Amino acid sequence: MSSVRTDKEASTTLDDALKPTSRAVDGDAVVRALKPVADDAPEAETIDGFHLVIDALKLNDIDTIFGLPGIPITDLTRMAQAEGMRVISFRHEQHAGNAAAAAGFLTQKPGICLTVSAPGFLNGLTALANATTNCFPMILISGSSEREIVDLQQGDYEEMDQLAIAKPLCKAAFRVLHAQDIGVGIARAIRSALSGRPGGVYLDLPAKLFAQTMDAVKGKASLIKVVDPAPRQIPAPDAVKRALDLLKGAKKPLILLGKGAAYAQADADIRALVEKTGIPYLPMSMAKGLLPDTHAQSAAAARSYVLQEADVVLLIGARLNWLLSHGKGKTWAEDKGAKQFIQIDIAPTEIDSNVAIAAPVIGDIGSCVAALLGGIDAKWAKPPTEWTGAIAERKDKNLSKMAVTLAARPSPMNFHSALSVIRDQVKARPDAIVVNEGANTLDFARSIVDMYEPRKRLDVGTWGIMGIGMGFAVAAAVVTDKPVIAIEGDSAFGFSGMEVETICRYNLPICIIVFNNNGVYRGTDVNASGTADVAPTVFVKNARYDKLMEAFGGVGVNATTADELQKALTEAVASRRPTLINAVIDETAGTESGRITSLNPATAKKK
Ligand code: ADP
Ligand code: TZD
């Protein structure tokens, strides 16, 4: 295998007669010249495909690549690093892709994931599709094999028609065949990822492209700095008026904030809209912290009640998908009469996707919220106190009940006692970023761990996908330099666990807490057949995930009590050292599929 790689890499890297130099043309750092080694040859200032790609990204303020090297992109990673880009190299492409997606969500710049052909590309594809589903901007750039051979299916190394495969799974897909088109290709990828509803874009760069050279000055001129990549979309005044009229007439209004609202970075206006209208609000999981979860108007602790009772619901960057029971049924007390919805979204086709939307407001969230705010003056009547009072009463009752549960210190720990420790740590360090996946670990953490600042919570998102953990954690640490607390079910952690090496290699301030209850959902299932195999959801008992972190030089802690967990977590956040805490959780704790038990065919049939 290694000889194949060597031969192939040799044939796909730069011509032996050419050696890269870092010499800038006319003092301009954007263009690197390549000059022939032969002394008597005339000095032709040329630039190759590698450097055109790097320069095009840098020109657009993209300074980080998440990827995994190999044919034909190894040199691209080396050269990008040499040219001052941060190159974060992963152990599996899916996690590099997840990192790119999370970076896109956090920064409003497309995260870049770089993969090798066919298998590497396929490994990155899940992340690309997930990014598109979540409306996160990212670009999967993959090297690919030779078009002529791929198209005739003549059996090239890692042969695959990647463009065709990527197309249905992302927002847009492009291939660049000529060095002079690299600037356009990257500009189109950036614009596609960021404009309108953000999403994943695939950019196919065949191996041959990288070694192509062109005149350096023309090369530089071919690059495009994308102007206004996510143009504001101003809502129509009549749409704003319709929405305000509906909101004004509401007796039991509710605002629902989704991760689109978090992505939009319109934090001050969103807060002003909530506070000036006095309307209670519910954050979807990744919108937590847009206003602090402890805010008086948060209705999170009375969620079921407000969803059932509200008469007018203003959705801001949240879709009425399965996470909101499609806007109908018992959750929304449909039998008591339909709700009226106002929906702010940048995608007009989202409107009426599940139920009728009485007042669509189409535009970017910043512009739409500002426009609504413009219609809210001192005379605005806040919601009736019967409504806000009833919510407050339920909230108080539920929060008091929760406080008792959180104060308990059972042995072994359960989800609540372990999460109460994390809840306190996040309160003390509200700038920390929480990454969260699992089933019970996810559901409980979402409701127990309060968030205080926008875009501090990253989780399994729209698909409820396992495996985002370490990729998201790496991205959060790399792009924000803030401490990261990854709250992981033991099954969930396994999907990306090998990236602890990546975390140690880059010495990232990440503390992983594995909620170890010996299995998927819990550790007590039995094999009904009586054979020696354990049940499909059961793992090795009493595993020590902390040792995995120690293997790479990080800090591993086995925590069997809330006190041990608290000490280890506090130290990890303060020291910023890569840490993995194996939190031993009662293996009988946890329910099948967490809170989405009803989606299991067997459970649903029993109903
Ligand atoms: P959640 O899962 O938190 O409910 P969703 O992912 O379902 O959120 O919804 C996010 C919505 O936000 C999508 O419909 C998307 O089109 C929209 N969106 C994303 N960014 C913006 C923006 N800048 N302006 C307006 N809408 C946006
Ligand atoms: N594979 C992928 C990619 N995504 C998924 N969501 C699943 C499988 C199915 N799945 C869930 O929906 S949650 C989960 C799986 C495997 C793991 C739950 O176990 P856990 O968490 O140990 O991570 P808890 O807290 O013990 O429930």
Side-chain angles (χ1 to χ4, degrees):
M1 197 60 210
S2 63
S3 70
V4 172
R5 174 178 305 209
T6 311
D7 293 343
K8 190 73 188 185
E9 281 206 322
S11 71
T12 54
T13 51
L14 298 174
D15 187 314
D16 281 348
L18 296 174
K19 290 239 166 67
T21 73
S22 295
R23 211 156 49 79
V25 174
D26 297 334
D28 189 335
V30 172
V31 178
R32 240 77 36 208
L34 292 162
K35 73 170 188 156
V37 170
D39 285 344
D40 53 352
E43 205 171 287
E45 286 175 340
T46 57
I47 184 165
D48 62 15
F50 289 107
H51 287 95
L52 284 166
V53 171
I54 294 163
D55 291 348
L57 292 173
K58 285 172 68 174
L59 185 63
N60 285 290
D61 302 323
I62 292 172
D63 55 12
T64 306
I65 291 175
F66 303 95
L68 200 158
I71 296 169
I73 50 103
T74 317
D75 280 346
L76 184 60
T77 59
R78 289 192 188 109
M79 292 179 197
Q81 194 172 47
E83 297 294 340
M85 293 189 81
R86 187 110 200 253
V87 179
I88 304 292
S89 218
F90 283 75
R91 302 300 294 260
H92 187 289
E93 290 88 351
Q94 187 175 123
H95 314 309
N98 284 328
F105 170 74
L106 291 170
T107 64
Q108 289 188 332
K109 282 194 279 187
I112 304 294
C113 173
L114 184 62
T115 65
V116 304
S117 351
F121 156 78
L122 286 174
N123 284 345
L125 207 51
T126 307
L128 183 70
N130 188 47
T132 308
T133 301
N134 280 316
C135 316
F136 296 167
M138 76 169 273
I139 303 173
L140 173 64
I141 301 180
S142 183
S144 59
S145 301
E146 292 188 30
R147 285 254 41 87
E148 294 82 350
I149 306 181
V150 172
D151 288 348
L152 277 172
Q153 298 173 34
Q154 294 175 310
D156 200 5
Y157 169 74
E158 297 189 346
E159 175 181 297
M160 178 173 275
D161 186 359
Q162 297 170 194
L163 187 71
I165 290 167
K167 239 177 212 167
L169 297 171
C170 59
K171 213 180 143 186
F174 306 99
R175 177 185 292 134
V176 181
L177 292 176
H178 305 293
Q180 63 267 30
D181 293 330
I182 287 174
V184 169
I186 289 188
R188 283 180 72 62
I190 292 172
R191 210 173 264 292
S192 301
L194 290 178
S195 60
R197 172 182 276 177
V201 175
Y202 175 59
L203 187 61
D204 192 89
L205 303 182
K208 272 191 189 170
L209 178 76
F210 297 115
Q212 284 178 26
T213 57
M214 67 184 290
D215 175 81
V217 174
K218 284 193 184 141
K220 179 195 171 185
S222 73
L223 302 184
I224 295 174
K225 172 136 178 93
V226 179
V227 175
D228 197 11
R232 284 196 304 152
Q233 295 191 24
I234 316 293
D238 57 332
V240 174
K241 182 176 180 308
R242 194 187 295 122
L244 283 169
D245 287 348
L246 191 54
L247 209 54
K248 259 182 219 158
K251 299 265 173 304
K252 298 175 174 181
L254 175 69
I255 293 175
L256 240 159
L257 302 171
K259 59 181 170 306
Y263 173 77
Q265 298 194 15
D267 309 339
D269 273 359
I270 288 172
R271 186 169 183 149
L273 182 71
V274 171
E275 291 181 341
K276 284 196 175 156
T277 58
I279 297 175
Y281 74 95
L282 269 186
M284 297 300 286
S285 69
M286 283 180 58
K288 277 163 70 75
L290 261 177
L291 290 90
D293 279 335
T294 47
H295 195 283
Q297 284 170 254
S298 168
R303 190 174 192 275
S304 316
Y305 176 74
V306 291
L307 289 180
Q308 286 180 0
E309 292 294 320
D311 60 353
V312 174
V313 180
L314 165 57
L315 298 159
I316 307 182
R319 285 169 285 187
L320 282 174
N321 55 17
W322 70 280
L323 287 159
L324 283 168
S325 307
H326 305 280
K328 47 196 169 190
K330 246 169 71 184
T331 308
W332 295 86
E334 206 182 3
D335 52 338
K336 289 197 195 162
K339 320 268 174 206
Q340 291 204 286
F341 288 99
I342 302 165
Q343 185 163 20
I344 297 180
D345 207 291
I346 203 153
T349 49
E350 186 55 41
I351 306 305
D352 302 333
S353 60
N354 286 271
V355 295
I357 302 296
V361 184
I362 302 305
D364 68 279
I365 285 169
S367 302
C368 293
V369 171
L372 287 183
L373 263 177
I376 290 156
D377 52 22
K379 285 183 286 179
W380 179 270
K382 295 213 165 166
T385 46
E386 295 91 82
W387 175 229
T388 49
I391 296 170
E393 201 179 297
R394 274 166 182 84
K395 248 179 87 170
D396 288 348
K397 213 163 80 192
N398 290 341
L399 289 174
S400 313
K401 242 199 287 180
M402 178 67 92
V404 175
T405 315
L406 292 180
R409 287 291 173 261
S411 177
M413 286 188 282
N414 60 14
F415 288 98
H416 292 83
S417 63
L419 285 167
S420 77
V421 168
I422 303 174
R423 172 188 162 101
D424 291 346
Q425 182 61 227
V426 174
K427 190 174 180 187
R429 283 300 300 264
D431 60 327
I433 296 189
V434 168
V435 173
N436 190 197
E437 60 178 337
N440 296 277
T441 307
L442 176 90
D443 291 339
F444 288 124
R446 189 175 46 216
S447 57
I448 292 171
V449 179
D450 287 334
M451 306 305 301
Y452 301 87
E453 296 178 7
R455 292 170 297 284
K456 297 293 187 190
R457 191 186 146 87
L458 303 170
D459 68 28
V460 300
T462 302
W463 265 350
I465 192 170
M466 299 300 114
I468 49 83
M470 298 306 103
F472 278 15
V474 168
V478 166
V479 304
T480 71
D481 200 35
K482 298 288 183 193
V484 177
I485 302 172
I487 311 172
E488 300 276 314
D490 48 350
S491 165
F493 173 70
F495 287 74
S496 64
M498 194 62 211
E499 301 299 342
V500 295
E501 190 277 328
T502 308
I503 290 167
C504 289
R505 189 165 11 110
Y506 294 102
N507 194 25
L508 298 172
I510 296 173
C511 177
I512 305 156
I513 303 161
V514 176
F515 277 58
N516 187 356
N517 62 353
N518 293 341
V520 179
Y521 313 130
R522 59 176 173 258
T524 49
D525 269 10
V526 286
N527 170 357
S529 79
T531 55
D533 289 346
V534 295
T537 58
V538 169
F539 292 160
V540 165
K541 302 269 183 206
N542 309 318
R544 291 287 302 273
Y545 291 95
D546 48 314
K547 302 277 186 198
L548 196 57
M549 183 59 100
E550 286 176 358
F552 302 106
V555 178
V557 179
N558 187 48
T560 57
T561 66
D563 282 348
E564 286 169 5
L565 175 58
Q566 195 252 337
K567 183 167 173 289
L569 176 58
T570 309
E571 273 174 25
V573 171
S575 72
R576 297 172 57 93
R577 288 190 64 195
T579 301
L580 193 155
I581 305 171
N582 182 56
V584 179
I585 304 290
D586 183 352
E587 68 170 1
T588 65
T591 56
E592 176 97 8
S593 303
R595 293 231 172 121
I596 55 171
T597 305
S598 60
L599 297 185
N600 283 325
T603 326
K605 221 166 62 196
K606 274 187 223 143
K607 274 181 145 188

